[in-house]
Amino acid sequence: MLAAHPDDEVLGMGGTLCLHAGERGDEVRVVCVTDGSSTQYPDDAEIRERKSDEARRAAAVLGVSDYVHLDLPDMRLDTVAHADLNRIVEEHVGEVGPEVVYTAHPDVNRDHRALFDSVAVATRPTPGQPVRRVLTYAPASSTEWTPAATNWFVPNWFVDVTATLERKLEAFACFETERRDYPHPRNDRALRAHAEFYGASVGCEYAEPFVLVRNVEPA
Amino acid sequence: MLAAHPDDEVLGMGGTLCLHAGERGDEVRVVCVTDGSSTQYPDDAEIRERKSDEARRAAAVLGVSDYVHLDLPDMRLDTVAHADLNRIVEEHVGEVGPEVVYTAHPDVNRDHRALFDSVAVATRPTPGQPVRRVLTYAPASSTEWTPAATNWFVPNWFVDVTATLERKLEAFACFETERRDYPHPRNDRALRAHAEFYGASVGCEYAEPFVLVRNVEPA
Amino acid sequence: MLAAHPDDEVLGMGGTLCLHAGERGDEVRVVCVTDGSSTQYPDDAEIRERKSDEARRAAAVLGVSDYVHLDLPDMRLDTVAHADLNRIVEEHVGEVGPEVVYTAHPDVNRDHRALFDSVAVATRPTPGQPVRRVLTYAPASSTEWTPAATNWFVPNWFVDVTATLERKLEAFACFETERRDYPHPRNDRALRAHAEFYGASVGCEYAEPFVLVRNVEPA
Amino acid sequence: MLAAHPDDEVLGMGGTLCLHAGERGDEVRVVCVTDGSSTQYPDDAEIRERKSDEARRAAAVLGVSDYVHLDLPDMRLDTVAHADLNRIVEEHVGEVGPEVVYTAHPDVNRDHRALFDSVAVATRPTPGQPVRRVLTYAPASSTEWTPAATNWFVPNWFVDVTATLERKLEAFACFETERRDYPHPRNDRALRAHAEFYGASVGCEYAEPFVLVRNVEPA
Amino acid sequence: MLAAHPDDEVLGMGGTLCLHAGERGDEVRVVCVTDGSSTQYPDDAEIRERKSDEARRAAAVLGVSDYVHLDLPDMRLDTVAHADLNRIVEEHVGEVGPEVVYTAHPDVNRDHRALFDSVAVATRPTPGQPVRRVLTYAPASSTEWTPAATNWFVPNWFVDVTATLERKLEAFACFETERRDYPHPRNDRALRAHAEFYGASVGCEYAEPFVLVRNVEPA
Amino acid sequence: MLAAHPDDEVLGMGGTLCLHAGERGDEVRVVCVTDGSSTQYPDDAEIRERKSDEARRAAAVLGVSDYVHLDLPDMRLDTVAHADLNRIVEEHVGEVGPEVVYTAHPDVNRDHRALFDSVAVATRPTPGQPVRRVLTYAPASSTEWTPAATNWFVPNWFVDVTATLERKLEAFACFETERRDYPHPRNDRALRAHAEFYGASVGCEYAEPFVLVRNVEPA
């Protein structure tokens, strides 16, 4: 499961993560590829550490212990060579051998697009590829801000997160540096409405939306 | 402003209707083209009347007095000749001479698609056309149920309905025959979450989403 | 599982059907909604019966015993009211309560589009809806003939049918009235190449392609 | 070459028609499938005849002698069964055996969409199909009025009509019943600007735009 | 109002600019982010200055006095880090606090795409965002040259520029370095045909086309 | 005819290349812009040379003698400035003055996308442009691995390669470093199935698929 920035994974799929890691006991690795702070706070090791700490605590709330935080430059993945980001993603796919990969939707945030491009390469369905399913999730305060004509986040995959929504909100509460007052999308009220909107769309109390990129069903 | 079924207009744009009719004093006509009940309750004049009455009361709550309820067959607009539906829409456009036309999004509901096709004809930007702007709204419990690959409701137009959301909920409360328990989309909780979801997406407490079909700005 | 014409289901997903019905022992109903012959052979009860018989034998080869053959007019579903086709599909969904529904892709064949529209209605994700997943399959000699700009069959779901491809070919051999010489798509050589093309695309010997319409994953 | 209404073929591709028929000496048949007047002027044989006469004279100006005018109901092709329209188009394709077929773009005009659907069926690339290329043209005063989100007329095929533009204007002058004053699109000034706009887009004085549906290049 | 190159803003929306700045007296800032010449004429300060001078004179013709010309490398915005271009756009949005932002359409010109990406970031609809509307314009000799399948410039917004078209042509006449003979798109004849084509499409003598990215209507 | 990597041109359009160069005697230049090996084998001149030699031998099998192999970094075209790649493509277009340009489809491989962007610039339909037609081909083991929602390779152009398919397979046999066992797409069985799949789709024994970007037909 891949994120570009600390909090992407909670905002976009905290409830689903908690289902996998907490409820079902699946083996889950979260890899956050950027430091998450260097553009806004250049050379500030303390804030970098703080964000990493928040992300780790949030992951723990969701039942995820394998959290990897890399140090690529935040909001500047366009300055990293595509082949170099590919190699990083491929290494993690190679180590874990996951059946399912989730990545942030390629939206208004160019880091999300760079990461998506590398996930697309690392999960190509060659013979022997362990990954059988790729899904994109929608990090709140990003996907919905994408210009309409370039926004293809029209979800075709929904996960009922009624059992884990409260844990998602608790996990997001760890991100003190990222919370903003409503009507910003990053707070309890907006996240709950997000889950209700998609939940009521598909007949369950709370849901998280995804776009399926590819699924290969073995014989 | 056009609806295929009684309640479309409230579910999709009750807050915006109330802004136009109640707050701004714009001249507003709502035309509902089908009886709204004949497929589910054939030959039941009572239920037909009841739905019409609900719709009229809801309109009144929103400040709309010019409510026209026609009798085309509900869920069977595909059996009405396109040219005949065109003529009806053209008559109302001709009578009112509106600057703005709203119509239900052409979604999973084929009545909405038939109506959209006729609105597209009736609002063609010929010289002398009074209509300068056409927008589609998303009737809750319809647009979000559209198969993803055919769903182009990615809104590019948002109206802040913070001032009128409570009136929208009050108006929808008139539709006793149409309310369903949450997590169905037709009830207070789901409608409020819908408005919060779109509101938080664009920085206001409550919002309604639309897709702009065409806008012609005069000199 | 829905087909518009006898042989759609074999051409499009015979291998997958056989996996469900033969290998996994899933309960499978195939509903073919048109007579499959009346436009080409009006009022010819014999050919109608023959096609039905072929379809039934093909289904048996795949392990499907619950085959329902209705009598809507072949190549003329556009003349059947949408609400009437909806009702038929809804009845079968109601009786079987399937978790997964497959339907022919809405392609150059308008019967496929009419059926797709009704499946979209009958599988709306309301509370209590048994259907959790909807997929479209590509009937050979139809989907690939769709004009490019209107063809959205870009598959995101693949099933490895290596174990059942020979049974699919055997099943199609039952359709003596439908086979055509290569390079027509309806014969062993073309069907095998089709399965190899999609198989090699996703790393398995033979595969069948689908487009996911919606998946709702329960908690 | 197929048109839904008398004048479609001149407005959309008069210059190209004249190149084929007049300059290159290609064998050209124009088939106009509707009477072109019955919705606006029901049961008015005189106006029907007049339109037919205008169309025939316009065709002659372009060098087309094989002009077929059928009598399907204007603006009501949605009431003709798809299979019946298919048969008509198939008969003409069968008789002429054309290498290239042009049809009106499936735009805001539903007759154009019905005709396009039937052309798509009649030109399916089966073994033995004579048609190797299918293109859609844009009848002025129709395609450009299509709602943006459903308008896929983004041309990928352009024909330099510098040599024949004046003949196109002369041909359109035959349609006295169809001319409208500028800024309506149906007059010399607008048609000339249309040809200049597309011409300057691809480096020639005047051009007509098309969308390629399919081209099959023989060995 | 943002441009990537001197003349983009005149070619794409000179008439609309003149309406805003000249007719309506709106406060307008034009920011051109590249030098406009360095790829074609590296290290040629004179031509750089000349282009800047042309652009300034053209702006003056349109009534725009606040013209800012930056020095990012022409045709090489892909070599500027996205975050750095974001910062520049954000500074101007912050200083001016505009209600409406226009930017070049993300077309075949990669500078236009880089700028669009940064405008999308700088105008995200967060609480407190002054920008309520974002539109893309089509710089002649760029948008129409975009490969069809990647070209989503299907306009849904039109401005009647009948009153200001002559001023637009006069403004473009300032760009002596950029004019090319017809049938190139950069000259009076082609620009006039462009305005007539879009004008006749929506019922006015001359019009300029736009794509609406987002509009948020306050209560 | 442009390729990003040695073997792209054979995998994607070897049969068509052989028709042009071998059968029809057209003048053909193949330009491969990257070294094809440096990311996987950095600083390995031997493997670089070997790949170049394979490509040259394959070209000879197809009848192509004018094969140009440049040294841009493989899998790293995103690190080459767009303007620099433009210049290279423009030089070759300028030298050869081709009527038709083929380029790899902008798919999951970012080198293909970078090259496509530069081809789009170099073939802009300005007055005097020699290029009249631009097509994209689908290099096997790349285009089919593109995430569905971003994959617009829905072919509208097909070439019957029945006469040259065996030569294509023979040409690909030269690429010893690139062959992989079936069910990988790079071997005889998969390439043959690919050609049969598209062939049976359009009524010929073997075919290669393309997407038309633009065609300008001279008067």
Side-chain angles (χ1 to χ4, degrees), chain A residues 144-145 148 151 154-156 182-183 185 189-190 193-194 196-198 200-201 203-206, chain B residues 144-145 148 151 154-156 182-183 185 189-190 193-194 196-198 200-201 203-206:
Chain A
E144 72 275 45
W145 288 343
N151 187 358
V154 181
N156 53 14
Y182 190 89
R189 182 175 171 192
H194 189 276
E196 286 174 329
F197 171 71
Y198 285 110
S201 296
C204 48
E205 188 169 5
Y206 297 114
Chain B
E144 72 274 47
W145 289 342
N151 187 357
V154 180
N156 54 14
Y182 189 89
R189 182 175 171 192
H194 190 275
E196 287 175 329
F197 171 71
Y198 285 110
S201 296
C204 48
E205 189 170 3
Y206 296 114

Coordinates of all heavy atoms in Angstrom, one line a residue, chain A residues 144-145 148 151 154-156 182-183 185 189-190 193-194 196-198 200-201 203-206, chain B residues 144-145 148 151 154-156 182-183 185 189-190 193-194 196-198 200-201 203-206:
Chain A
E144 N -10.8 15.5 -4.7 CA -12.0 16.3 -5.0 C -11.6 17.7 -5.5 O -12.5 18.4 -6.0 CB -12.9 16.4 -3.8 CG -12.4 17.3 -2.7 CD -11.5 16.5 -1.7 OE1 -10.6 15.8 -2.2 OE2 -11.6 16.7 -0.5
W145 N -10.3 18.1 -5.4 CA -9.9 19.4 -5.9 C -9.3 19.4 -7.4 O -8.8 20.4 -7.9 CB -8.9 20.0 -5.0 CG -9.4 20.5 -3.7 CD1 -10.7 20.7 -3.3 CD2 -8.6 20.7 -2.5 NE1 -10.8 21.1 -2.0 CE2 -9.6 21.1 -1.5 CE3 -7.3 20.7 -2.1 CZ2 -9.2 21.5 -0.2 CZ3 -6.9 21.0 -0.9 CH2 -7.8 21.4 0.1
A148 N -12.3 19.3 -13.1 CA -13.3 18.3 -13.5 C -12.8 17.5 -14.8 O -12.9 16.3 -14.8 CB -14.6 19.0 -13.8
N151 N -10.4 14.8 -14.1 CA -10.6 14.0 -12.9 C -11.4 12.7 -13.3 O -12.6 12.8 -13.6 CB -11.4 14.8 -11.9 CG -11.6 14.1 -10.6 OD1 -11.1 13.0 -10.4 ND2 -12.2 14.7 -9.6
V154 N -14.1 8.4 -10.7 CA -15.5 8.0 -10.7 C -15.4 6.5 -10.1 O -15.1 5.6 -10.8 CB -16.1 8.0 -12.0 CG1 -17.6 7.6 -11.9 CG2 -16.0 9.4 -12.6
P155 N -15.7 6.4 -8.8 CA -15.3 5.1 -8.2 C -16.2 3.9 -8.7 O -17.4 4.1 -9.0 CB -15.6 5.3 -6.7 CG -16.5 6.5 -6.6 CD -16.2 7.3 -7.9
N156 N -15.5 2.8 -8.9 CA -16.3 1.5 -9.2 C -16.0 0.4 -8.2 O -16.5 -0.7 -8.4 CB -15.8 1.0 -10.6 CG -14.3 0.9 -10.8 OD1 -13.6 0.9 -9.8 ND2 -13.9 0.8 -12.0
Y182 N -13.4 22.6 9.7 CA -14.4 22.5 8.7 C -14.8 23.9 8.3 O -14.8 24.8 9.1 CB -15.6 21.8 9.3 CG -16.7 21.5 8.3 CD1 -16.7 20.3 7.6 CD2 -17.7 22.4 8.0 CE1 -17.7 19.9 6.7 CE2 -18.7 22.0 7.1 CZ -18.7 20.8 6.4 OH -19.6 20.5 5.5
P183 N -15.1 24.2 7.0 CA -15.4 23.3 5.8 C -14.1 22.8 5.1 O -14.3 22.3 3.9 CB -16.3 24.1 5.0 CG -15.9 25.5 5.2 CD -15.4 25.6 6.6
P185 N -11.6 19.9 4.1 CA -11.9 18.4 4.1 C -11.2 17.6 5.2 O -11.5 16.5 5.4 CB -11.5 18.0 2.7 CG -11.3 19.2 1.9 CD -10.9 20.3 2.9
R189 N -15.7 16.1 10.9 CA -17.0 16.3 10.3 C -17.0 16.0 8.8 O -17.8 15.3 8.3 CB -17.5 17.7 10.5 CG -18.8 18.0 9.9 CD -19.4 19.4 10.2 NE -20.6 19.7 9.5 CZ -21.1 20.9 9.4 NH1 -20.5 21.9 10.0 NH2 -22.2 21.1 8.7
A190 N -15.9 16.5 8.1 CA -15.9 16.3 6.7 C -15.6 14.8 6.3 O -16.1 14.3 5.4 CB -14.8 17.2 6.0
A193 N -18.8 12.9 6.8 CA -19.7 13.1 5.7 C -19.2 12.4 4.4 O -20.1 11.9 3.6 CB -19.8 14.6 5.4
H194 N -17.9 12.4 4.2 CA -17.4 11.7 3.0 C -17.8 10.2 3.1 O -18.2 9.6 2.1 CB -15.8 11.8 3.1 CG -15.1 11.4 1.9 ND1 -14.7 10.0 1.7 CD2 -14.6 12.0 0.8 CE1 -14.1 9.9 0.6 NE2 -14.0 11.1 0.0
E196 N -20.2 8.9 4.7 CA -21.7 8.8 4.6 C -22.1 8.9 3.2 O -23.0 8.2 2.7 CB -22.4 9.8 5.5 CG -22.3 9.5 7.0 CD -22.9 10.6 7.9 OE1 -22.8 11.8 7.4 OE2 -23.4 10.3 9.0
F197 N -21.5 9.9 2.5 CA -21.9 10.1 1.1 C -21.7 8.9 0.3 O -22.6 8.4 -0.4 CB -21.1 11.3 0.5 CG -21.2 11.5 -0.9 CD1 -22.4 11.9 -1.5 CD2 -20.2 11.1 -1.8 CE1 -22.6 12.1 -2.9 CE2 -20.4 11.2 -3.2 CZ -21.5 11.7 -3.7
Y198 N -20.5 8.3 0.4 CA -20.2 7.1 -0.4 C -21.0 5.9 0.2 O -21.4 5.0 -0.6 CB -18.7 6.8 -0.5 CG -18.1 7.8 -1.5 CD1 -17.2 8.8 -1.0 CD2 -18.4 7.7 -2.8 CE1 -16.7 9.7 -1.9 CE2 -17.8 8.6 -3.7 CZ -17.0 9.6 -3.3 OH -16.4 10.5 -4.2
A200 N -24.0 5.9 1.7 CA -25.4 5.9 1.2 C -25.5 5.7 -0.3 O -26.6 5.3 -0.8 CB -26.0 7.3 1.6
S201 N -24.4 5.9 -1.0 CA -24.4 5.7 -2.5 C -24.5 4.2 -2.8 O -24.9 3.8 -3.9 CB -23.1 6.2 -3.1 OG -23.1 7.6 -3.0
G203 N -25.5 1.7 -0.2 CA -26.3 0.9 0.7 C -25.7 0.5 2.0 O -26.1 -0.5 2.6
C204 N -24.6 1.2 2.4 CA -24.1 0.8 3.8 C -23.8 2.1 4.5 O -23.8 3.2 4.0 CB -22.9 -0.1 3.7 SG -21.6 0.4 2.6
E205 N -23.7 2.0 5.9 CA -23.6 3.2 6.7 C -22.4 4.1 6.3 O -22.6 5.3 6.1 CB -23.6 2.9 8.2 CG -23.7 4.1 9.0 CD -23.9 3.8 10.5 OE1 -23.9 2.6 10.9 OE2 -24.1 4.8 11.3
Y206 N -21.2 3.5 6.2 CA -20.0 4.2 5.8 C -19.3 3.4 4.8 O -19.2 2.2 4.9 CB -19.1 4.4 7.0 CG -19.7 5.2 8.2 CD1 -19.9 4.7 9.4 CD2 -19.9 6.6 8.0 CE1 -20.4 5.5 10.4 CE2 -20.4 7.4 9.0 CZ -20.7 6.8 10.2 OH -21.2 7.6 11.3
Chain B
E144 N -25.7 8.8 -8.5 CA -24.6 8.1 -7.9 C -24.7 6.6 -8.1 O -23.8 5.8 -7.9 CB -24.5 8.4 -6.4 CG -25.6 7.8 -5.5 CD -26.9 8.7 -5.4 OE1 -27.3 9.1 -6.5 OE2 -27.4 8.9 -4.3
W145 N -25.9 6.1 -8.7 CA -26.1 4.7 -9.0 C -25.7 4.4 -10.4 O -26.0 3.2 -10.9 CB -27.5 4.3 -8.7 CG -27.8 4.2 -7.2 CD1 -27.0 4.1 -6.2 CD2 -29.1 4.2 -6.6 NE1 -27.6 4.1 -5.0 CE2 -29.0 4.1 -5.2 CE3 -30.5 4.2 -7.1 CZ2 -30.0 4.1 -4.3 CZ3 -31.5 4.2 -6.2 CH2 -31.3 4.1 -4.8
A148 N -20.1 3.3 -13.4 CA -19.0 4.2 -13.4 C -18.6 4.6 -14.8 O -18.4 5.8 -15.1 CB -17.8 3.6 -12.7
N151 N -20.8 7.2 -16.3 CA -21.2 8.3 -15.4 C -20.3 9.5 -15.6 O -19.1 9.5 -15.2 CB -21.1 7.8 -14.0 CG -21.7 8.9 -13.0 OD1 -22.1 10.0 -13.4 ND2 -21.7 8.6 -11.8
V154 N -19.1 14.6 -13.2 CA -18.0 15.1 -12.4 C -18.2 16.6 -12.3 O -18.0 17.3 -13.3 CB -16.7 14.7 -13.1 CG1 -15.5 15.3 -12.3 CG2 -16.6 13.2 -13.3
P155 N -18.7 17.1 -11.2 CA -19.2 18.5 -11.2 C -18.2 19.5 -11.4 O -17.0 19.4 -11.0 CB -19.9 18.6 -9.8 CG -19.3 17.5 -9.0 CD -18.9 16.4 -9.9
N156 N -18.5 20.6 -12.2 CA -17.6 21.7 -12.4 C -18.3 23.0 -11.9 O -17.8 24.1 -12.1 CB -17.2 21.8 -13.8 CG -18.3 21.8 -14.8 OD1 -19.5 22.0 -14.4 ND2 -18.0 21.7 -16.1
Y182 N -32.1 5.7 6.1 CA -30.7 5.6 5.9 C -30.2 4.2 6.1 O -30.7 3.6 7.0 CB -30.0 6.6 6.9 CG -28.5 6.7 6.6 CD1 -28.1 7.7 5.7 CD2 -27.6 5.9 7.2 CE1 -26.7 7.8 5.5 CE2 -26.2 6.0 6.9 CZ -25.8 7.0 6.1 OH -24.4 7.1 5.8
P183 N -29.3 3.6 5.3 CA -28.4 4.3 4.4 C -28.9 4.4 3.0 O -28.1 4.6 2.0 CB -27.2 3.3 4.4 CG -27.8 2.0 4.6 CD -28.9 2.2 5.6
P185 N -30.3 6.8 0.1 CA -29.9 8.3 -0.1 C -31.1 9.2 0.2 O -30.8 10.5 0.2 CB -29.5 8.4 -1.5 CG -29.3 7.0 -2.0 CD -30.2 6.1 -1.2
R189 N -30.4 12.5 6.8 CA -29.0 12.2 7.1 C -28.2 12.1 5.8 O -27.1 12.8 5.7 CB -28.8 10.9 7.9 CG -27.4 10.6 8.2 CD -27.2 9.4 9.1 NE -25.8 9.0 9.3 CZ -25.4 7.9 9.8 NH1 -26.3 7.0 10.3 NH2 -24.1 7.6 9.9
A190 N -28.7 11.4 4.8 CA -27.9 11.2 3.6 C -27.8 12.6 2.8 O -26.8 12.9 2.2 CB -28.5 10.1 2.7
A193 N -25.3 14.8 4.5 CA -23.9 14.4 4.2 C -23.6 14.7 2.7 O -22.4 15.1 2.5 CB -23.8 12.8 4.4
H194 N -24.5 14.6 1.8 CA -24.3 14.9 0.4 C -23.9 16.4 0.3 O -22.9 16.8 -0.3 CB -25.6 14.7 -0.3 CG -25.5 14.8 -1.8 ND1 -25.6 16.0 -2.5 CD2 -25.3 13.8 -2.8 CE1 -25.5 15.8 -3.8 NE2 -25.3 14.5 -4.0
E196 N -22.7 18.3 2.7 CA -21.4 18.5 3.4 C -20.2 18.0 2.6 O -19.2 18.6 2.5 CB -21.4 17.7 4.8 CG -22.3 18.4 5.8 CD -22.3 17.6 7.1 OE1 -22.2 16.3 7.0 OE2 -22.5 18.2 8.2
F197 N -20.4 16.9 1.9 CA -19.3 16.3 1.1 C -19.0 17.3 0.0 O -17.8 17.7 -0.2 CB -19.8 15.0 0.4 CG -18.9 14.5 -0.6 CD1 -17.6 14.0 -0.3 CD2 -19.2 14.5 -1.9 CE1 -16.7 13.5 -1.2 CE2 -18.3 14.1 -2.9 CZ -17.1 13.6 -2.6
Y198 N -20.0 17.8 -0.7 CA -19.7 18.8 -1.8 C -19.3 20.1 -1.2 O -18.5 20.9 -1.8 CB -20.9 18.9 -2.8 CG -20.9 17.7 -3.7 CD1 -21.9 16.7 -3.6 CD2 -19.9 17.5 -4.6 CE1 -22.0 15.6 -4.4 CE2 -19.9 16.3 -5.4 CZ -21.0 15.4 -5.3 OH -21.0 14.3 -6.1
A200 N -17.6 20.7 1.7 CA -16.2 20.7 2.1 C -15.3 20.5 0.9 O -14.1 20.9 1.0 CB -16.0 19.5 3.1
S201 N -15.8 20.1 -0.2 CA -15.0 20.0 -1.4 C -14.6 21.3 -2.0 O -13.6 21.5 -2.7 CB -15.7 19.2 -2.5 OG -15.9 17.8 -2.1
G203 N -15.0 24.4 0.0 CA -14.8 25.4 1.0 C -16.0 26.1 1.5 O -15.9 27.3 2.0
C204 N -17.2 25.5 1.5 CA -18.3 26.1 2.2 C -19.1 25.0 3.0 O -18.9 23.8 2.7 CB -19.2 26.9 1.2 SG -19.7 26.0 -0.3
E205 N -19.9 25.4 3.9 CA -20.5 24.4 4.8 C -21.4 23.4 4.0 O -21.2 22.2 4.2 CB -21.4 25.1 5.8 CG -21.8 24.1 6.9 CD -22.4 24.8 8.1 OE1 -22.6 26.1 8.1 OE2 -22.8 24.1 9.1
Y206 N -22.3 23.9 3.2 CA -23.1 23.0 2.4 C -23.1 23.5 0.9 O -23.1 24.7 0.6 CB -24.6 23.1 2.8 CG -24.8 22.6 4.2 CD1 -25.2 23.4 5.2 CD2 -24.6 21.2 4.6 CE1 -25.4 23.0 6.5 CE2 -24.8 20.8 5.8 CZ -25.2 21.6 6.8 OH -25.4 21.2 8.1

